[in-house]
Amino acid sequence: MTHHHPGRTVRPGRTVRSRSAAAGLLRAARSRSAAAGLLRTVRSSVGAPAAAALLLLSAVGCAATGSAAGVGDAASGGRGGTLVIGATGKLPNPDTVIGGAGFEGKRLVSFQIYEGLTRYDLSGTDAPPEITGALAESWTVAADARTWTFALRKGVKFQDGTPFDADAVVFNLDRYLAKGSEFYTDALGAAAKEYAGGIVRYRKTDADHVELVTKDPNGHFPEDLAHVLIAGPAAVRATGSAGFARHPVGTGPFAFASQTEGQQIELVANKDYWRGAPKLDKLVIKSLPDVAARTAALRSGGVNWIEYPNPDDIDSLKAEGARIATNSYDHLWYWILDGSKAPWNDPRVRQAANYAVDRKAIAEKLLHGTADPAYQAAPRATFAYDPAGDFYSYDPAKAKQLLAEAGRADGFTTSVTVPTAGSGNLLPVPITEAIQRDLAAVGIKVEIRTTDWSTLIGAEAKGEVALGSDAVAQSTTLFQSEALLPLFIGGKSPFWTGHYSNPKVDQLLGSAAASPDRTARRADYRSALSQVTQDAPWLFVVNDRNPRALSPKVQGLVQPQSWFLDLTTVWVSK
């Protein structure tokens, strides 16, 4: 399941103009020195393994450190090179919305090939990104809060040279929503339903405008449309939907070049990209789900960027010259507790478990500062976070007191299903083992059952728990997908949510979703998450800081407070 952050919305009758995407890049990195001779000396004196471990250091001549929000030399104005990224999970199906690899696949592949009518402005580092114009320059919403008119950007071309226009928007919506369309498939329809399922009518009003009508008032509709990706109609017609994934075409900053299915995808810079050509020449994404394999690939030069390095390796990677980029973003690692059966049906027991966990130790010692303790339901880097709402501290005595009040002074035995890996899941088994020790200290004995990420979320989508446990450990980005928030805390969710339901929360979610007033909507969400914190349907653990390790040759990264990235600013030095 995937999630996104709400950005700019508009009041009825008002027009919103897209903001500039100009990014102020961060401070310059340390100067590099030539060290080829040093590397040859190291190889001859200490052997190949040690030489490989020092390969990163040889590129700079000294240890390099990354800033909290980005890395690289922004001042030199360099460009070019090939960026090779080691991803943590499977690579997505590159056909627009089908994906299948979670938000990491969307971040590294889908959002590089395609765009929607809107996009995230990822140029800043000090606040969650807002929504701005992409293939639409501006939009208005009528007084009914359902009828939206989008003024399309002129002069944009697909990567095959064909023009983007209103007909292309209608063609893609037909492909997603019209079962009678020649290019509709059940897979596309199911995937598009997450973000486009509320559209009941759409039409071209002229070559540069489209009108979209939603079934219900939807204040976050512009955010949803960032995920409704637009493919080149000529390319789809040439291959048919069945073959389009082998030759995908969009309007994004990088064009598809080739792929080894499930292993590697190669993209090249779109020189005619409407925001300006990316600085890179080429972008390569490799599937490296094993963290040790990712780190080894970075050290050997097989990749020059890895997603989520093992926190235990960060100090040694820095010493070898790697830059580590982190920033807060919308992320929560947590357990969903089954509130339909004892003992988790008692809020005092759920609160007791929250007081029993030493989140600070997990964040600082186990995860080496790559995460922050989570004392409430709202992630820190979201508008819904209330600094005064950190409800849970590490207080084993209070945990025991609450258990006694609930008639569980002697403790109890429970179970949790944990993914062994997966996008955004950090170190799921070691984290769960730390929680297991903390809970045992107050009398809660936990059996850990492991499975793979796909099995876990596949079972949840059916309303079930993989391996039949009393809890599920997982990660979520709550506000990267505001449209999906009801699926996590709403009372009528089709997904397994621990059977959590609170009418007050449902009322707040409904009020927020219907309002085009961003301030009012966000206030409702904050109130809803505050109630969830008090109800404690989850065991809140940590908020990830999205660490990635980069070769010192990688320059110009701006790391926003987001799951997503703008790779147009990045380049690789020779």
Side-chain angles (χ1 to χ4, degrees):
M1 290 170 283
T2 53
H3 323 288
H4 76 171
H5 170 77
R8 172 184 344 200
T9 54
V10 291
R11 296 181 184 275
R14 293 184 61 190
T15 300
V16 171
R17 296 288 174 188
S18 63
R19 296 187 298 172
S20 168
L25 297 180
L26 303 181
R27 62 186 179 218
R30 298 183 183 184
S31 62
R32 300 183 303 274
S33 62
L38 170 62
L39 182 57
R40 287 193 294 271
T41 301
V42 169
R43 283 183 177 135
S44 63
S45 62
V46 301
L54 290 172
L55 182 62
L56 289 171
L57 177 58
S58 74
V60 289
C62 60
T65 58
S67 76
V71 296
D73 187 347
S76 68
R79 62 184 312 114
T82 297
L83 179 65
V84 186
I85 298 178
T88 70
K90 296 179 180 178
L91 300 183
N93 180 326
D95 183 345
T96 53
V97 299
I98 294 178
F103 267 5
E104 184 180 64
K106 186 173 286 188
R107 165 173 68 206
L108 299 179
V109 178
S110 304
F111 276 2
Q112 307 308 322
I113 300 174
Y114 307 101
E115 297 170 296
L117 294 179
T118 60
R119 67 180 180 89
Y120 296 97
D121 182 350
L122 300 167
S123 61
T125 63
D126 58 356
E130 302 287 358
I131 284 292
T132 188
L135 296 178
E137 288 186 314
S138 62
W139 51 89
T140 59
V141 59
D144 64 2
R146 297 173 54 242
T147 304
W148 298 76
T149 301
F150 292 84
L152 305 182
R153 193 174 300 277
K154 298 178 182 179
V156 176
K157 291 184 178 181
F158 289 99
Q159 293 142 1
D160 60 2
T162 58
F164 164 77
D165 54 19
D167 289 327
V169 177
V170 172
F171 175 91
N172 276 269
L173 291 175
D174 281 346
R175 189 171 182 241
Y176 295 149
L177 303 175
K179 292 186 177 181
S181 167
E182 175 184 355
F183 303 104
Y184 174 90
T185 69
D186 289 340
L188 285 164
K193 189 175 182 179
E194 286 187 346
Y195 296 102
I199 300 174
V200 292
R201 293 193 304 278
Y202 50 90
R203 68 186 180 100
K204 164 188 172 180
T205 57
D206 60 42
D208 301 316
H209 292 82
V210 292
E211 180 185 272
L212 310 182
V213 182
T214 60
K215 179 180 179 182
D216 301 305
N218 181 356
H220 52 72
F221 191 49
E223 289 81 8
D224 299 348
L225 292 178
H227 295 261
V228 181
L229 303 177
I230 304 298
V236 175
R237 291 189 178 102
T239 63
S241 283
F244 183 67
R246 294 190 292 274
H247 305 280
V249 173
T251 62
F254 293 92
F256 178 83
S258 66
Q259 69 175 318
T260 303
E261 190 171 345
Q263 300 178 40
Q264 181 170 305
I265 292 179
E266 297 185 7
L267 308 176
V268 295
N270 177 5
K271 302 298 184 182
D272 296 320
Y273 182 46
W274 64 269
R275 287 200 294 136
K279 292 187 175 183
L280 288 169
D281 296 324
K282 190 174 182 179
L283 173 63
V284 179
I285 313 299
K286 293 186 175 184
S287 175
L288 295 171
D290 181 75
V291 65
R294 286 199 303 280
T295 301
L298 181 65
R299 284 175 163 150
S300 69
V303 302
N304 45 28
W305 166 320
I306 60 173
E307 296 289 275
Y308 200 75
N310 188 327
D312 287 341
D313 292 333
I314 284 179
D315 287 343
S316 63
L317 285 170
K318 286 182 178 179
E320 294 158 19
R323 297 187 176 102
I324 308 298
T326 68
N327 203 350
S328 296
Y329 74 113
D330 174 32
H331 175 278
L332 178 66
W333 197 98
Y334 65 116
W335 287 10
I336 302 174
L337 307 173
D338 190 346
S340 70
K341 58 186 179 182
W344 295 124
N345 60 346
D346 189 325
R348 294 169 297 184
V349 173
R350 301 193 300 266
Q351 290 179 348
N354 272 286
Y355 281 113
V357 175
D358 189 350
R359 300 163 177 82
K360 186 175 181 182
I362 291 173
E364 295 181 359
K365 296 178 181 178
L366 178 60
L367 300 178
H368 295 271
T370 61
D372 294 313
Y375 301 109
Q376 60 175 280
R380 290 169 182 257
T382 69
F383 58 82
Y385 177 74
D386 182 357
D390 282 347
F391 197 79
Y392 299 101
S393 58
Y394 176 46
D395 193 341
K398 188 172 183 65
K400 291 180 179 179
Q401 175 189 337
L402 285 167
L403 287 173
E405 291 175 4
R408 297 281 177 174
D410 294 331
F412 60 91
T413 299
T414 190
S415 56
V416 61
T417 297
V418 184
T420 53
S423 180
N425 276 302
L426 314 181
L427 301 178
V429 176
I431 294 173
T432 299
E433 290 171 342
I435 295 170
Q436 181 187 46
R437 291 190 291 272
D438 287 344
L439 294 180
V442 300
I444 302 174
K445 300 176 181 63
V446 178
E447 176 193 353
I448 299 173
R449 302 169 180 172
T450 58
T451 188
D452 63 275
W453 180 230
S454 296
T455 298
L456 185 145
I457 61 174
E460 285 183 4
K462 299 176 183 177
E464 302 170 356
V465 178
L467 306 181
S469 296
D470 302 322
V472 166
Q474 66 175 41
S475 69
T476 287
T477 53
L478 292 177
F479 287 100
Q480 297 276 357
S481 294
E482 183 184 340
L484 304 183
L485 188 60
L487 299 181
F488 291 91
I489 60 175
K492 298 180 180 179
S493 175
F495 293 97
W496 189 80
T497 62
H499 305 97
Y500 176 66
S501 179
N502 185 314
K504 178 181 177 182
V505 172
D506 288 341
Q507 185 275 322
L508 288 165
L509 291 177
S511 172
S515 176
D517 185 322
R518 183 177 65 183
T519 300
R521 194 167 77 251
R522 292 181 173 183
D524 283 343
Y525 283 132
R526 176 176 281 201
S527 296
L529 268 294
S530 176
Q531 185 63 54
V532 172
T533 299
Q534 295 175 55
D535 291 343
W538 304 338
L539 185 62
F540 315 111
V541 186
V542 292
N543 302 133
D544 181 34
R545 291 187 56 81
N546 214 4
R548 45 183 52 95
L550 286 66
S551 158
K553 293 184 178 182
V554 176
Q555 307 289 327
L557 168 65
V558 175
Q559 176 137 322
Q561 290 189 9
S562 173
W563 186 257
F564 304 115
L565 289 167
D566 182 351
L567 295 179
T568 64
T569 65
V570 177
W571 56 284
V572 178
S573 63
K574 296 180 180 179

